[in-house]
Amino acid sequence: MHLGRRYKERTESGWSEVKWLDPPFDDLPIMRLTASSKGTYFFDEFKPDFTGDIRYSRLVDGKHEEPQLLNKNINSGKSFHPFIAPDESYLIFDSEREGGYGNSDIYISFKQQDGSWGDAINLGEQINTDAEEIATSVTPDGKYLFFNRNVGSDNYENVDIMWVSAEIIENLRPKE
């Protein structure tokens, strides 16, 4: 269970004490980190000027490699709060970019056959509004998509947790 650079591990009796990620993550300003079933980390790099990029780090021989920046399909505008599918077939994130519905919208990108990430697809007006939609997760059983909607001011006084069927993912997945 990750929260930025901190995490807890499941133990036989519950959860471990809070631990901190080792290098190369210990000095990075990480807001959200998510891991695939392969152990690949996807995380945002939160900068003081409220810009952000999403990076990844694969688990190779039991150690995480140096973080790599994702391509411009993902990192266009301000991109935050990644969620990687357990099988790494898609990445969901929020971003402020041209063509959106509001302050921050939720997007999805599907992994291509060559291993690259496809274009960011806006989840559309059924999810995104003129408010700020952020911090998406999909339940472990793959049935539901949860996200936050900030309908208040920029100081997060009125944040709602929303949920929809995760069928939206399959409806947006490119047909081959």
Side-chain angles (χ1 to χ4, degrees), residues 34-77:
T34 180
S36 73
S37 60
K38 297 176 189 177
T40 304
Y41 289 164
F42 285 77
F43 58 93
D44 53 15
E45 187 176 3
F46 182 76
K47 299 173 185 165
D49 62 354
F50 290 95
T51 60
D53 288 317
I54 298 175
R55 297 178 182 272
Y56 71 96
S57 175
R58 293 179 301 170
L59 186 62
V60 179
D61 297 326
K63 293 188 177 191
H64 279 95
E65 66 184 359
E66 284 294 320
Q68 306 292 315
L69 192 63
L70 286 168
N71 66 24
K72 290 294 179 190
N73 291 343
I74 308 300
N75 289 317
S76 175

Side-chain angles (χ1 to χ4, degrees), residues 38-138:
K38 297 176 189 177
T40 304
Y41 289 164
F42 285 77
F43 58 93
D44 53 15
E45 187 176 3
F46 182 76
K47 299 173 185 165
D49 62 354
F50 290 95
T51 60
D53 288 317
I54 298 175
R55 297 178 182 272
Y56 71 96
S57 175
R58 293 179 301 170
L59 186 62
V60 179
D61 297 326
K63 293 188 177 191
H64 279 95
E65 66 184 359
E66 284 294 320
Q68 306 292 315
L69 192 63
L70 286 168
N71 66 24
K72 290 294 179 190
N73 291 343
I74 308 300
N75 289 317
S76 175
K78 300 176 184 179
S79 298
F80 295 108
H81 307 109
F83 175 83
I84 188 66
D87 65 359
E88 298 184 18
S89 64
Y90 63 84
L91 177 71
I92 301 175
F93 58 98
D94 48 85
S95 186
E96 293 180 34
R97 54 178 70 200
E98 283 189 40
Y101 291 88
N103 186 350
S104 181
D105 286 353
I106 299 171
Y107 292 83
I108 189 168
S109 176
F110 293 94
K111 189 171 270 187
Q112 307 299 293
Q113 288 184 348
D114 66 2
S116 66
W117 290 99
D119 291 337
I121 302 168
N122 190 301
L123 266 59
E125 63 187 359
Q126 292 178 331
I127 302 294
N128 295 307
T129 67
D130 61 355
E132 179 183 55
E133 285 80 25
I134 62 171
T136 304
S137 294
V138 177

Side-chain angles (χ1 to χ4, degrees), residues 129-150:
T129 67
D130 61 355
E132 179 183 55
E133 285 80 25
I134 62 171
T136 304
S137 294
V138 177
T139 55
D141 63 8
K143 291 183 179 182
Y144 302 100
L145 184 142
F146 283 82
F147 61 96
N148 294 344
R149 178 174 290 148
N150 180 15

Side-chain angles (χ1 to χ4, degrees), residues 149-163:
R149 178 174 290 148
N150 180 15
V151 295
S153 64
D154 285 339
N155 59 4
Y156 301 97
E157 292 175 351
N158 192 4
V159 177
D160 291 328
I161 299 172
M162 314 297 286
W163 65 276

